[in-house]
């Protein structure tokens, strides 16, 4: 196994442990050059980190909402061609050291649907995410993939749940080749008839 396979395996199977230095944050979107803008809840980080990142924040959103702030995080080289961060996904961001005036930390782990579910079951999921993100992102219609999966499993639609997990996993891990069409195994029955 090469370096990429170990990194992919670590990203899929590791169980995260959020701390005050490395909290769960939500990605607002990519900003180029392997940088991602994230929203950080003030209650999830230490006051020193909050003050340091707030002083370097160029957006000027200090007076808008005192419960959260935005910063840029850098994707480390080991994750760059293995895991992708989508808009609205959750990541663990290491905010313990600031790289430049604008870059407040780096991505420690991209949280997949199973890892978010594990954090919710163990009680480590921050309660701030339940109400705060409607103000940050927009309306309630912006559900995450985990929320959609939970609602499907409640309705008893387990087959589409696993299909949705597979498609979410393909999106985050690069997916298949969009230039080639997938031909399923059902076509073997048609060839026997000829």
């Amino acid at each position: 196994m090469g370096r990429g396979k170990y990194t992919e395996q670590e990203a899929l199977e590791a169980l995260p442990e959020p701390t005050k230095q490395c909290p769960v944050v939500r990605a607002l979107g990519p900003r180029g050059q392997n940088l991602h803008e994230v929203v950080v809840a003030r209650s999830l980080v230490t006051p020193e980190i909050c003050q340091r990142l707030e002083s370097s924040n160029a957006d000027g959103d200090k007076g808008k909402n005192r419960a959260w702030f935005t910063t840029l995080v850098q994707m480390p080289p080991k994750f760059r061609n293995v895991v992708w961060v989508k808009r609205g996904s959750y990541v663990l961001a290491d905010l313990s050291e600031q790289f430049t005036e604008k870059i407040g930390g780096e991505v420690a782990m991209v949280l997949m649907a199973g890892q978010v579910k594990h954090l919710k079951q163990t009680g480590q999921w921050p309660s701030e995410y339940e109400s705060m993100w409607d103000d940050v992102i927009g309306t309630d219609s912006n559900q995450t993939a985990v929320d959609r999966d939970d609602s499907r499993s409640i309705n008893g639609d387990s087959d589409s749940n696993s299909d949705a997990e597979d498609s979410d996993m393909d999106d985050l891990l690069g997916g298949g080749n969009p230039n080639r069409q997938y031909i399923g195994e059902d076509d073997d029955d048609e060839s026997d008839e000829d």
Side-chain angles (χ1 to χ4, degrees):
M1 287 177 125
R3 181 186 72 136
K5 291 198 182 230
Y6 283 121
T7 305
E8 181 178 336
Q9 191 175 33
E10 175 189 340
L12 292 175
E13 297 174 1
L15 297 177
E17 293 286 330
T19 63
K20 289 277 190 183
Q21 301 291 325
C22 190
V24 176
V25 297
R26 187 166 186 177
L28 291 178
R31 297 298 177 248
Q33 299 294 323
N34 297 307
L35 297 176
H36 297 275
E37 186 176 11
V38 296
V39 176
V40 183
R42 292 183 193 286
S43 60
L44 298 179
V45 295
T46 61
E48 296 83 27
I49 291 175
C50 187
Q51 184 178 15
R52 176 176 44 89
L53 293 176
E54 193 176 65
S55 65
S56 66
N57 192 358
D59 293 341
D61 62 350
K62 294 178 187 175
K64 291 182 184 175
N65 191 339
R66 301 298 292 174
W68 52 269
F69 61 93
T70 61
T71 188
L72 291 175
V73 293
Q74 182 179 25
M75 180 70 80
K78 73 176 189 174
F79 288 136
R80 287 186 184 163
N81 292 323
V82 178
V83 181
W84 280 258
V85 177
K86 294 173 77 174
R87 185 177 294 125
S89 62
Y90 296 101
V91 298
L92 281 179
D94 184 10
L95 303 174
S96 60
E97 73 178 66
Q98 188 170 358
F99 293 103
T100 65
E101 183 178 313
K102 293 185 180 182
I103 301 173
E106 75 174 350
V107 174
M109 176 183 276
V110 178
L111 297 177
M112 304 295 176
Q115 294 165 331
V116 171
K117 191 177 283 187
H118 169 74
L119 287 175
K120 286 183 178 181
Q121 289 173 349
T122 59
Q124 294 178 336
W125 187 253
S127 61
E128 289 84 2
Y129 292 114
E130 305 306 324
S131 63
M132 180 174 46
W133 300 118
D134 296 336
D135 298 335
V136 175
I137 303 295
T139 63
D140 293 334
S141 62
N142 293 331
Q143 288 183 331
T144 62
V146 176
D147 295 336
R148 287 192 301 269
D149 289 346
D150 289 343
S151 66
R152 284 189 194 125
S153 63
I154 291 171
N155 296 334
D157 197 8
S158 61
D159 291 336
S160 65
N161 186 11
S162 63
D163 292 341
E165 268 185 31
D166 291 342
S167 68
D168 288 342
M169 193 65 64
D170 287 343
D171 289 345
L172 289 173
L173 294 176
N177 187 350
N179 297 325
R180 304 242 182 215
Q181 293 182 352
Y182 174 74
I183 300 173
E185 296 177 14
D186 296 336
D187 295 337
D188 293 340
D189 297 334
E190 294 174 9
S191 64
D192 292 340
E193 294 173 5
D194 291 336

